Amino acid sequence: MRMNTYVNFRGSCAEAFRYYEKHLGAKVGAMMTHAQSPESRTGAEWKDKVLHARITIGDTELMAADIPNAEPMRSAYLTLRPESDAEAERIFAALADGGQAFMPIQETFFASRFGQLRDRFGINWMIMCERARA
């Protein structure tokens, strides 16, 4: 059995996934639009929006769709754990572009780099480069 996270966008799923491909090295595994579904009941303005998509980020799959009245994530965060401080800072900057930083990327007692933000697509992220344990 697998467990995956499924997030909903308000019409920007394809744009978000392409952005994650570019800046996170992610790979889109599936992307189906409402127009491709024989059972879709959405209006013409939603025909090119995503009915279902799947993307691989690192070794994790994220699934998503466009939902007309989707609410931004509230108490959940997708967490990325890069291998270096430089990569953590690069990723944070890319995801913060056009978004909102809640906690700037910085050194903490538990991580050499840690930051929290909401990206331009409404997705909450934590970037954490954990300290090596002695």
Side-chain angles (χ1 to χ4, degrees), residues 19-38:
Y19 193 86
Y20 302 155
E21 275 187 306
K22 179 179 179 182
H23 295 285
L24 303 179
K27 301 284 183 212
V28 173
M31 191 167 302
M32 178 187 310
T33 65
H34 287 275
Q36 292 173 296
S37 170

Side-chain angles (χ1 to χ4, degrees), residues 7-111:
V7 297
N8 294 318
F9 294 87
R10 283 189 176 180
S12 61
C13 182
E15 179 186 358
F17 273 25
R18 285 184 185 84
Y19 193 86
Y20 302 155
E21 275 187 306
K22 179 179 179 182
H23 295 285
L24 303 179
K27 301 284 183 212
V28 173
M31 191 167 302
M32 178 187 310
T33 65
H34 287 275
Q36 292 173 296
S37 170
E39 299 174 8
S40 180
R41 293 184 174 92
T42 59
E45 69 278 4
W46 278 85
K47 71 178 180 65
D48 293 327
K49 301 301 182 187
V50 174
L51 175 66
H52 172 72
R54 179 175 32 82
I55 194 169
T56 302
I57 302 172
D59 59 357
T60 301
E61 288 186 326
L62 175 67
M63 296 180 184
D66 284 320
I67 305 296
N69 295 313
E71 292 291 327
M73 296 173 73
R74 298 199 184 268
S75 296
Y77 287 80
L78 301 181
T79 304
L80 296 174
R81 297 182 345 187
E83 298 292 324
S84 71
D85 291 352
E87 185 67 353
E89 290 179 17
R90 184 195 69 76
I91 289 169
F92 187 91
L95 293 174
D97 183 24
Q100 175 186 9
F102 301 135
M103 180 179 179
I105 192 87
Q106 60 189 300
E107 185 174 355
T108 68
F109 72 94
F110 60 87

Side-chain angles (χ1 to χ4, degrees), residues 77-82 114-117 124-128:
Y77 287 80
L78 301 181
T79 304
L80 296 174
R81 297 182 345 187
F114 179 80
Q116 296 175 301
L117 61 104
N124 293 337
W125 295 91
M126 279 196 289
I127 312 304
M128 181 175 12

